[in-house]
Amino acid sequence: FSAPNSLLSADLFAKLDAKNLGSNFPLRDITNPSCWFNMVQLSNSSDSMPEISIPSFIMSLSEFKVGADCVECASKGVSVLSDLTKLLDQTGGIRTLSTRIEMLADEVIMGGY
């Protein structure tokens, strides 16, 4: 499958350890997400605000394609896969699949698990 014109956007709020941020954060690492996650403050049970939260999330698969071509098929079932993906595309099944993937991603990210 491919999704060449996709959009994924999320707001991320994190409590950072100010002591480490000021003294142990080289400017060369400012674009490195791993360094930022390393600065997330450890849990304090008396604090009600979560360490990391995602208040908004958007995922859009505006162009979602699924396809299969069998070059050398060992069984009849595999050779049908190409016809099946074409049928899904012609009947709108791919758009339904795309919408459900977007909904699943939203539920997983925003579900509060």
Side-chain angles (χ1 to χ4, degrees):
F1 78 91
S2 68
N5 295 324
S6 300
L7 168 72
L8 178 63
S9 174
D11 291 332
L12 177 72
F13 292 128
K15 284 199 268 182
L16 302 179
D17 186 348
K19 288 181 255 176
N20 283 335
L21 186 62
S23 61
N24 297 326
F25 200 90
L27 284 178
R28 70 178 176 273
D29 293 333
I30 202 159
T31 59
N32 186 339
S34 296
C35 293
W36 284 100
F37 283 119
N38 192 40
M39 294 292 139
V40 173
Q41 186 175 344
L42 296 177
S43 180
N44 182 352
S45 59
S46 64
D47 198 351
S48 62
M49 185 177 164
E51 287 76 25
I52 296 179
S53 64
I54 302 173
S56 70
F57 175 79
I58 298 170
M59 179 178 182
S60 174
L61 302 173
S62 59
E63 188 178 341
F64 185 74
K65 298 178 182 179
V66 175
D69 289 317
C70 185
V71 177
E72 201 172 308
C73 299
S75 70
K76 292 180 183 178
V78 174
S79 63
V80 175
L81 193 56
S82 178
D83 295 333
L84 180 61
T85 58
K86 288 176 187 171
L87 181 64
L88 283 171
D89 191 32
Q90 292 168 351
T91 60
I94 298 297
R95 186 67 219 154
T96 301
L97 178 62
S98 172
T99 301
R100 290 187 179 171
I101 289 172
E102 291 170 0
M103 290 169 41
L104 174 65
D106 186 60
E107 177 64 26
V108 169
I109 298 295
M110 302 302 291
Y113 301 104

